[in-house]
Amino acid sequence: MSVHERVPPTKITAIYVYEAPVRLWHWVNAAAILVLCVTGYFIGSPLPTLSGEASDHFLMGYIRFAHFTAAYVFAIGFLVRIWWAFVGNEHARQLFRFPFWSGAYWDGLLQEARWYAFLERRPRKYVGHNPLAQFAMFWFMTVGTLFMIVTGFALYSEGAGPGSWQDSLFGWVIPLFGQSMDVHTWHHMGMWAIILFVMLHVYAAIREDIMSRQSMVSTMISGVRTFKDDDPD
């Protein structure tokens, strides 16, 4: 093509999707999960004994403090996110919805699975989460977050002691699972499930930015989703 030949303009459609509180929660939540996973790993697999006098070190104490602080940020942020689902726009509620009885939803989920498996040439366009992303977000972020909060505060209640609000609200969890170590094991497994989800989530967001010609990563910064080379489905 000649350097003087005019290139046709690319059609770009921009739609405001995610409001500021949703975007703020997303990044605060991501930071809290990072701290929780790193400190949770060391709590589950403690560091070897440090050299010197034991009274000179409080490393595991600091790790546990960081874990507990991030846990409160994680839990309070989730409560705020639930509140915003009631007062925000329709996309703020999508995280808490799972349209189990919708045939169109399952058709879209299958199509998206084929797209991610490189069996479809073009993806469908969705303003909010696509059906496969909605499936993952609901089960890993909504249900998974509730599970980690409940089991985490149940373990915390052992240190807070009988009669504490943690024990009053979550003390029932330990006998339900059997014993404290069982709750520890399930809580630790939940951490690895969230790590796996985060890896897939980051991969899918970057992949969609490149291959689907619609913004993903920048949308969670600006709130605006752009569709490049737009065409009707």
Side-chain angles (χ1 to χ4, degrees):
M1 183 176 66
S2 169
V3 295
H4 300 291
E5 187 173 343
R6 188 169 180 267
V7 178
T10 299
K11 180 181 178 181
I12 299 179
T13 301
I15 303 174
Y16 185 66
V17 181
Y18 298 120
E19 299 160 302
V22 173
R23 304 196 308 272
L24 177 62
W25 170 79
H26 176 275
W27 295 112
V28 170
N29 201 53
I33 288 174
L34 176 61
V35 174
L36 285 167
C37 288
V38 172
T39 56
Y41 173 81
F42 286 117
I43 291 172
S45 304
L47 295 166
T49 302
L50 299 175
S51 61
E53 180 62 38
S55 60
D56 294 334
H57 304 291
F58 192 63
L59 182 58
M60 286 305 301
Y62 291 130
I63 289 175
R64 284 168 59 85
F65 176 77
H67 191 80
F68 298 153
T69 302
Y72 274 102
V73 172
F74 184 68
I76 294 171
F78 188 65
L79 291 176
V80 174
R81 182 65 180 83
I82 292 174
W83 169 73
W84 191 258
F86 289 97
V87 301
N89 63 17
E90 60 178 308
H91 303 294
R93 293 184 282 276
Q94 195 173 22
L95 183 69
F96 303 96
R97 291 204 310 255
F98 185 67
F100 184 85
W101 302 109
S102 171
Y105 168 80
W106 291 106
D107 175 71
L109 187 146
L110 179 61
Q111 195 277 339
E112 286 299 314
R114 290 176 56 83
W115 161 247
Y116 281 104
F118 300 97
L119 298 176
E120 293 283 347
R121 295 187 60 185
R122 298 177 68 87
R124 295 177 183 175
K125 294 181 172 65
Y126 296 93
V127 176
H129 293 304
N130 66 55
L132 187 59
Q134 186 176 2
F135 179 92
M137 294 296 288
F138 177 82
W139 289 107
F140 281 93
M141 287 310 302
T142 303
V143 177
T145 293
L146 283 171
F147 177 82
M148 295 303 284
I149 290 173
V150 169
T151 54
F153 274 106
L155 294 171
Y156 189 85
S157 71
E158 292 186 303
S164 64
W165 69 264
Q166 294 93 343
D167 180 63
S168 300
L169 292 178
F170 303 102
W172 55 270
V173 175
I174 293 177
L176 177 66
F177 278 77
Q179 60 178 333
S180 177
M181 197 61 208
D182 293 328
V183 182
H184 272 281
T185 300
W186 282 101
H187 191 71
H188 202 67
M189 290 174 62
M191 179 196 76
W192 286 111
I194 288 179
I195 290 174
L196 177 62
F197 164 75
V198 169
M199 293 170 62
L200 293 174
H201 177 62
V202 172
Y203 161 75
I206 296 175
R207 179 188 186 276
E208 289 298 278
D209 254 325
I210 297 171
M211 296 186 62
S212 71
R213 305 289 287 164
Q214 51 190 311
S215 66
M216 292 291 167
V217 179
S218 61
T219 300
M220 199 47 72
I221 298 174
S222 66
V224 176
R225 172 150 293 148
T226 56
F227 297 91
K228 304 172 185 177
D229 302 331
D230 200 13
D231 61 277
D233 285 326

